[in-house]
Amino acid sequence: NAGVTQTPKFQVLKTGQSMTLQCAQDMNHEYMSWYRQDPGMGLRLIHYSVGAGITDQGEVPNGYNVSRSTTEDFPLRLLSAAPSQTSVYFCASSYFTGSGNTIYFGEGSWLTVV
Amino acid sequence: GQQLNQSPQSMFIQEGEDVSMNCTSSSIFNTWLWYKQDPGEGPVLLIALYKAGELTSNGRLTAQFGITRKDSFLNISASIPSDVGIYFCAGPVGETSGSRLTFGEGTQLTVNP
């Protein structure tokens, strides 16, 4: 997990509040993405970016915004938190090696919305 | 979207036993990845497979990329207590296939000493 840093590790929000989950990587990876993980389910993609200035929606984008102003940073914003957004959030980064791709994850951010 | 079916959902084994889990898809994948997630941590890459038929080892772990490109297997030999965790298969989706993954639902492994 070295190289992908997420903050905060834990956060409790009230319904309707907004907040930003920070993600930074120091590996000069082009690609970054955000996933959420819910009990009994695999990770699901929220948003992703293939380079600075470029973002796109994943499988479950509603209620979240992202931006990619630099290669290193990819913050995830919750616009108006809802209890359904209680989850564990993982940021990831990757690069293309020519023979394939490997994706590396941060340690996760535990978010509870009450 | 593409879905990965991973089985079994959970396994309870004795230390020293071998473990096998698999992942199947209705779609072809060009890459198969196997991750392990420890409690309170993010997934950590175990093995990456890039060619159909490829068999790759990482210590006691061995993974294979199915010839049909629609399945993959992960085997753990001589399990130890620190093998406990959730194992996920994953494959890239979309045109910029390095940017995002779809995951199986995971296999929860418990190893009894």
Side-chain angles (χ1 to χ4, degrees):
Chain A
N1 289 346
V4 181
T5 304
Q6 288 181 236
T7 57
K9 181 86 169 180
F10 300 99
Q11 182 73 51
V12 178
L13 287 178
K14 293 183 179 179
T15 297
Q17 286 185 317
S18 62
M19 77 156 296
T20 299
L21 298 177
Q22 302 291 344
C23 177
Q25 53 94 5
D26 59 3
M27 299 174 282
N28 202 33
H29 285 173
E30 296 176 59
Y31 305 145
M32 296 187 74
S33 49
W34 277 101
Y35 295 81
R36 60 178 288 173
Q37 184 178 29
D38 300 298
M41 303 181 72
L43 283 73
R44 292 182 295 166
L45 182 67
I46 304 172
H47 285 284
Y48 66 101
S49 169
V50 299
I54 305 170
T55 64
D56 208 343
Q57 295 181 348
E59 183 183 354
V60 288
N62 292 339
Y64 307 95
N65 268 356
V66 292
S67 59
R68 186 91 181 274
S69 56
T70 67
T71 299
E72 294 78 19
D73 300 300
F74 191 44
L76 177 72
R77 298 182 185 85
L78 280 70
L79 309 172
S80 177
S84 61
Q85 292 179 304
T86 294
S87 188
V88 184
Y89 292 85
F90 291 98
C91 179
S93 72
S94 63
Y95 63 101
F96 182 69
T97 64
S99 60
N101 299 85
T102 55
I103 296 181
Y104 299 91
F105 288 85
E107 293 187 343
S109 296
W110 273 253
L111 176 66
T112 301
V113 183
V114 297
Chain B
Q2 294 169 298
Q3 289 189 324
L4 299 180
N5 300 307
Q6 190 172 345
S7 65
Q9 283 189 322
S10 60
M11 301 182 74
F12 298 84
I13 63 171
Q14 294 297 123
E15 184 176 359
E17 290 184 354
D18 296 342
V19 172
S20 183
M21 59 192 79
N22 70 82
C23 202
T24 61
S25 171
S26 58
S27 304
I28 288 174
F29 281 88
N30 293 319
T31 299
W32 283 93
L33 305 172
W34 284 94
Y35 286 87
K36 183 192 178 194
Q37 185 177 25
D38 292 325
E41 302 290 336
V44 174
L45 183 67
L46 297 174
I47 293 178
L49 302 163
Y50 300 114
K51 295 181 182 179
E54 179 181 354
L55 185 69
T56 297
S57 294
N58 178 7
R60 294 178 295 105
L61 277 64
T62 302
Q64 184 162 23
F65 193 143
I67 292 178
T68 65
R69 293 162 64 191
K70 292 183 177 181
D71 59 2
S72 179
F73 303 86
L74 176 69
N75 296 316
I76 305 173
S77 62
S79 58
I80 60 178
S82 62
D83 289 335
V84 167
I86 304 176
Y87 292 80
F88 291 100
C89 61
V93 294
E95 294 178 354
T96 51
S97 61
S99 62
R100 56 200 195 275
L101 297 173
T102 186
F103 284 82
E105 293 181 349
T107 296
Q108 173 73 61
L109 178 64
T110 301
V111 180
N112 296 315

